[in-house]
Amino acid sequence: MPVSTCLSLNFMILLKKAKESDIPVIQEIAKITWGPTYVPIIGQAQVDYMLDKMYSKAALESQFIDGHHFLIAEQGSKHVGFVSYAVEPEEAGVFHLHKLYVLPTAHGQGIGKFLINEVVNKVREEGGRYLRLNVNRNNKAKDFYERSGFKIKETVDIEIGNGFYMNDYVMEKTIE
């Protein structure tokens, strides 16, 4: 049963709340989107490391257990994107947008915007005041997030193991 629907450029987009049985769908979308997005920025070795670290079956199961909410976007019978978010346990009223990926073949159809808006609505319903995210400083998605109302809060370099770092902006949107 869909969580929400959107008519975008004459295509119906359905959102469904993901379950652990949807892990292969999440993994497949991540695998397809990460190459073109991140290999030019961080290289294949770090992409492979991060996909294994963040998208292995065990890692995704742990994220579900830790309270991450995943929504999958469907266009017809095809899965075209997903988003995940969770409450920040250390700060009242703060949620974190952990992942948002749309297949390259579906870019420009408003799916990313639809996913962001749905998360903002869910955060608002749950009494959240802020939505934060991390984005690589060289990722063009930063511009998308700025157009969606996020502002750069800080610059961080996060050591993730194996000699790799995430060189990110932490961005934040006030939920009104």
Side-chain angles (χ1 to χ4, degrees):
M1 178 170 193
V3 172
S4 191
T5 59
C6 170
L7 188 60
S8 173
L9 297 179
N10 298 321
F11 292 103
M12 179 73 81
I13 307 298
L14 301 177
L15 289 186
K16 73 170 191 171
K17 184 174 172 74
K19 300 176 287 215
E20 287 186 39
S21 60
D22 293 308
I23 285 176
V25 171
I26 294 165
Q27 289 173 316
E28 182 66 17
I29 293 169
K31 182 179 171 186
I32 292 169
T33 59
W34 270 60
T37 302
Y38 292 113
V39 169
I41 299 171
I42 60 176
Q44 188 67 53
Q46 186 168 343
V47 166
D48 292 343
Y49 176 79
M50 291 178 71
L51 278 172
D52 183 57
K53 182 178 180 74
M54 298 165 59
Y55 290 94
S56 69
K57 185 173 191 273
L60 288 168
E61 286 172 344
S62 179
Q63 291 167 38
F64 274 99
I65 290 167
D66 290 343
H68 291 219
H69 303 278
F70 285 82
L71 301 173
I72 296 175
E74 298 176 341
Q75 190 176 60
S77 61
K78 184 171 172 97
H79 300 104
V80 294
F82 71 90
V83 65
S84 80
Y85 67 99
V87 67
E88 282 284 351
E90 303 87 29
E91 294 183 70
V94 178
F95 285 71
H96 197 94
L97 180 72
H98 290 282
K99 300 168 176 41
L100 190 157
Y101 293 99
V102 174
L103 293 177
T105 56
H107 284 184
Q109 298 179 26
I111 297 167
K113 183 71 172 163
F114 182 46
L115 289 166
I116 285 262
N117 288 341
E118 187 66 22
V119 171
V120 166
N121 290 337
K122 297 286 187 195
V123 168
R124 184 180 296 115
E125 287 170 10
E126 294 185 40
R129 296 176 312 168
Y130 300 98
L131 180 60
R132 288 190 190 142
L133 61 85
N134 286 44
V135 63
N136 182 283
R137 294 193 295 262
N138 295 308
N139 188 337
K140 64 183 179 181
K142 175 187 136 317
D143 299 332
F144 166 77
Y145 292 125
E146 286 177 328
R147 287 191 307 273
S148 298
F150 288 83
K151 296 185 180 349
I152 295 172
K153 182 176 172 26
E154 63 182 311
T155 302
V156 296
D157 294 307
I158 303 166
E159 196 276 324
I160 58 168
N162 224 31
F164 296 122
Y165 285 82
M166 292 189 336
N167 308 110
D168 289 354
Y169 290 122
V170 176
M171 301 182 78
E172 183 174 86
K173 177 181 178 80
T174 302
I175 306 299
E176 302 177 66

